[in-house]
Amino acid sequence: MQKVLKWFTPLIGIGVAIFIVFFLISINSQDEFIESEPLVLQDEVVQKKPKKVWLNHFSQTQRLGYFYPVNEVYVKIDLDEKITKVITYKLSAPLLDPYQLFCLKEELGQHKLKYFLEKYNTRVELLIFSKNIDKLNSLVKVLKNYQITAVIESYKEEY
């Protein structure tokens, strides 16, 4: 049994190799096609007949008053409704040292406010945009304990 397996593996390898060689030869054969002729430029202009489209039938009919179906959209705008403006407030506070930044982050976590820190060359500035002025005022009072001066202004977005 071992002798059969000993010779069986090389025979399979040789068979696969022969198959690959014949396959490559058949793919890369350079047979010339005798029946092929060189391409010739034809001077004739071929005019295609227009296809009959069912939609063209409607444009050629003599019947008047037929309109194609379209989707119509009606929009009702109530202009009498009063638009109330919501005022957004901006709290800005310059931070001078890392201790102030640490204290500020702790207080912002307790007040649950989203904030934006803007870093300049030598300083960091806190920006908070909120519609709740009461929360901002309470935050300003707390920040005074840490010697952080904060200013609240009304903020207007420019479009």
Side-chain angles (χ1 to χ4, degrees), residues 114-125:
K114 294 181 181 179
Y115 60 93
F116 175 70
L117 291 174
E118 194 169 9
K119 184 176 182 181
Y120 296 107
N121 291 338
T122 58
R123 64 185 175 98
V124 176
E125 186 171 354

Side-chain angles (χ1 to χ4, degrees), residues 111 133-143:
H111 283 80
I133 195 163
D134 296 329
K135 267 190 177 182
L136 294 178
N137 282 330
S138 66
L139 182 64
V140 168
K141 289 177 185 176
V142 172
L143 292 179

Side-chain angles (χ1 to χ4, degrees), residues 3-154:
K3 286 186 178 184
V4 172
L5 289 176
K6 180 179 176 182
W7 290 103
F8 186 67
T9 306
L11 286 176
I12 289 178
I14 291 171
V16 170
I18 291 171
F19 173 75
I20 291 174
V21 168
F22 280 120
F23 181 72
L24 289 174
I25 289 172
S26 68
I27 288 177
N28 295 323
S29 65
Q30 296 183 357
D31 295 336
E32 291 185 23
F33 294 105
I34 298 171
E35 297 175 5
S36 66
E37 297 176 8
L39 294 175
V40 178
L41 181 63
Q42 296 178 355
D43 293 337
E44 300 173 12
V45 177
V46 179
Q47 292 183 353
K48 294 183 180 179
K49 293 181 181 178
K51 294 181 182 178
K52 283 194 170 186
V53 180
W54 65 272
L55 196 57
N56 291 340
H57 169 70
F58 290 116
S59 66
Q60 297 170 355
T61 58
Q62 299 295 327
R63 205 165 71 183
L64 297 176
Y66 181 80
F67 298 102
Y68 295 104
V70 296
N71 293 331
E72 294 183 15
V73 177
Y74 295 100
V75 178
K76 182 179 178 184
I77 300 175
D78 187 14
L79 298 176
D80 294 334
E81 181 181 336
K82 293 183 180 179
I83 299 172
T84 58
K85 267 193 169 182
V86 178
I87 300 173
T88 303
Y89 297 99
K90 171 185 170 184
L91 181 137
S92 61
L95 303 173
L96 302 175
D97 59 6
Y99 176 71
Q100 286 182 342
L101 181 63
F102 170 75
C103 296
L104 179 71
K105 284 186 178 181
E106 291 296 318
E107 289 299 326
L108 288 172
Q110 289 178 0
H111 283 80
K112 296 180 182 174
L113 287 171
K114 294 181 181 179
Y115 60 93
F116 175 70
L117 291 174
E118 194 169 9
K119 184 176 182 181
Y120 296 107
N121 291 338
T122 58
R123 64 185 175 98
V124 176
E125 186 171 354
L126 164 79
L127 297 173
I128 298 174
F129 300 100
S130 177
K131 295 174 183 161
N132 190 350
I133 195 163
D134 296 329
K135 267 190 177 182
L136 294 178
N137 282 330
S138 66
L139 182 64
V140 168
K141 289 177 185 176
V142 172
L143 292 179
K144 285 183 182 178
N145 295 337
Y146 303 109
Q147 286 83 30
I148 299 174
T149 56
V151 179
I152 299 175
E153 308 170 331
S154 63

